[in-house]
Amino acid sequence: MSIFELFFIMGADPSVLVLSRYDPKLVLLSLAIAVFAAGMALQLAGEARDSSQPLARQITIFTGSLALGGGIWAMHFLGMLAFELCAAVRFELGMTLLSMLPSLAASWVALNLLRGVNRACGSCASGVCWSVPESAPCITAAWRRCR
């Protein structure tokens, strides 16, 4: 068994793999939520940068992380719901809600880095910091199905 067989379906019947489709309305809704959430988070990061009071800055960053993390989470699950398979798929409420935490935490850290003094360094660091746990909703959903 090669390492690829652990992660990919090898030698499967291709006719079985195409029995799926995307719901275009849900895909567009997922895209709209992602764009809106990112725009809202960047707007709030700019507000936090201009704030002179530490408490107001942290409240603004927390609000931005809720917008961005919730947007990431909603975008992923709407994208997963848009993918219609020939088999029944269900999500457990507890695991689904738990999968939001890494997105919220990563968004909070990324927005804190983004409001830093050096904009180029902060933008690069926040992008790297945010990109790793960004896929947590899909990973936790897949992990639950494999157990």
Side-chain angles (χ1 to χ4, degrees), residues 30 33-34 37-38 65-78 99-100 102-104 106-107 130 133-138:
S30 175
I33 286 174
S65 68
L66 285 176
L68 185 59
I72 294 166
W73 179 80
M75 174 202 60
H76 275 89
F77 275 101
L78 275 173
S99 71
M100 187 188 293
S103 295
L104 292 174
S107 298
W130 175 77
E134 180 262 333
S135 60
C138 292

Side-chain angles (χ1 to χ4, degrees), residues 36-131:
F36 179 75
M40 179 66 82
L42 289 175
Q43 175 68 28
L44 288 169
E47 294 290 328
R49 179 178 306 198
D50 297 338
S51 178
S52 60
Q53 298 176 346
L55 180 61
R57 183 181 305 127
Q58 285 304 314
I59 289 172
T60 305
I61 288 176
F62 177 73
T63 306
S65 68
L66 285 176
L68 185 59
I72 294 166
W73 179 80
M75 174 202 60
H76 275 89
F77 275 101
L78 275 173
M80 290 168 61
L81 288 173
F83 187 58
E84 297 174 7
L85 293 170
C86 58
V89 177
R90 66 178 185 85
F91 298 101
E92 290 184 14
L93 180 62
M95 185 60 78
T96 302
L97 293 176
L98 184 66
S99 71
M100 187 188 293
L101 292 179
S103 295
L104 292 174
S107 298
W108 183 79
V109 171
L111 290 178
N112 267 307
L113 289 171
L114 193 59
R115 72 159 179 88
V117 178
N118 188 343
R119 290 185 182 190
C121 222
S123 296
C124 185
S126 68
V128 169
C129 162
W130 175 77
S131 65

